Amino acid sequence: MPRGFFITFEGLDGSGKTTQLRLLADSLETEGRALVTLRQPGGTALGDRIRSILLDSRSESTLGHIAPATEMALMFADRAQAIHEVILPALSAGSIVLCDRYTDSSEAYQGGGRQLGSQRILEMHAAACDNLQPDLTILLLPSLEASLKRARRRNQRNTQKKGADENRFESEPDDFYRRIHSKYEEIAAREPHRVFPIREDASIEQIHAHIREIVAVRLAQPVG
Ligand code: TMP
């Protein structure tokens, strides 16, 4: 059975990863590639429910404080379902899967940001996801200063927007983002074959061109 190709996009809030994923999806579709895109948390009916609990800033007042380990477990419940319902079937059918965030986000946000540590996340990944790893991860990682500026700008925009209530994470202090940024650096250093960090603060088009190059090279190599 042909095995598709699994690509994840990672980065801090406001890093531009969602825009870049969409641009890559458009260009792969233009090339006629079979493609499935999803985001985490979310991407399944169950996952969308989990997403609204985890991201809605009102959750803390309606449900009480969400403990870091609960947050981690819910992220993995979402992921296990997405793997079962969407990712594995698509890969078995030979499709390219583009996923907006995956386990690196749990390692960076819950492991780093919430200080649960990498080991707990990686053990959870083994238990809930049978260690399914992306073939390639595009990590959008401009400097910490640029990232913080963007996260704050986005935070302000979301607070001003009435009804937009997906900002439970985005109202965290700078230190939280600092820890996430350095955890992403750690992951990139640990897994250079899988993770391609893009550090430049270039235009959307330039970054897209860079990503297309990386993806073209990797798609031309046999999966192994
Ligand atoms: P996004 O859809 O805008 O990327 O937002 C998802 C938020 O959820 C973002 O703040 C990162 C956070 N998140 C985690 O904390 N851990 C995870 O495992 C995932 C997938 C997301």
Side-chain angles (χ1 to χ4, degrees), residues 36-214:
V36 170
T37 62
L38 76 160
R39 67 175 179 181
Q40 293 192 349
T44 63
L46 178 71
D48 286 339
R49 293 260 189 110
I50 293 175
R51 182 179 180 93
S52 70
I53 292 173
L54 284 170
L55 268 61
D56 193 329
S57 57
R58 291 165 301 194
S59 290
E60 298 274 325
S61 55
T62 54
L63 303 172
H65 174 63
I66 300 174
T70 311
E71 190 176 273
M72 169 186 74
L74 286 171
M75 292 292 180
F76 276 101
D78 163 69
R79 187 162 300 129
Q81 188 65 19
I83 289 171
H84 167 75
E85 239 181 73
V86 182
I87 299 175
L88 283 184
L91 290 175
S92 308
S95 297
I96 297 175
V97 175
L98 298 184
C99 192
D100 190 342
R101 298 194 179 281
Y102 190 65
T103 294
D104 294 326
S105 280
S106 299
E107 191 176 347
Y109 281 74
Q110 281 67 53
R114 303 280 191 227
Q115 298 179 288
L116 290 178
S118 289
Q119 196 186 337
R120 271 176 94 170
I121 306 298
L122 298 177
E123 284 169 5
M124 193 81 186
H125 182 67
C129 308
D130 201 17
N131 256 335
L132 177 71
Q133 290 289 9
D135 298 302
L136 171 67
T137 296
I138 304 292
L139 170 59
L140 291 163
L141 201 63
S143 71
L144 177 62
E145 291 66 36
S147 299
L148 285 176
K149 225 194 276 169
R150 288 186 197 188
R152 269 190 229 113
R153 244 198 334 255
R154 203 169 113 143
N155 191 353
Q156 270 171 0
R157 262 206 315 271
N158 282 351
T159 314
Q160 283 159 4
K161 244 196 263 163
K162 280 201 192 123
D165 231 318
E166 283 210 336
N167 56 1
R168 194 172 70 85
F169 283 92
E170 292 172 13
S171 40
E172 290 292 337
D174 286 2
D175 264 0
F176 178 71
Y177 285 103
R178 241 175 233 120
R179 291 195 295 271
I180 294 167
H181 194 275
S182 74
K183 190 55 90 177
Y184 270 134
E185 290 280 13
E186 195 182 307
I187 295 168
R190 186 183 70 210
E191 293 181 59
H193 183 69
R194 171 176 68 86
V195 182
F196 279 77
I198 295 184
R199 300 177 197 281
E200 71 246 48
D201 207 9
S203 72
I204 290 176
E205 293 72 25
Q206 283 166 323
I207 293 178
H208 172 55
H210 189 172
I211 292 172
R212 280 199 70 172
E213 254 172 52
I214 295 166

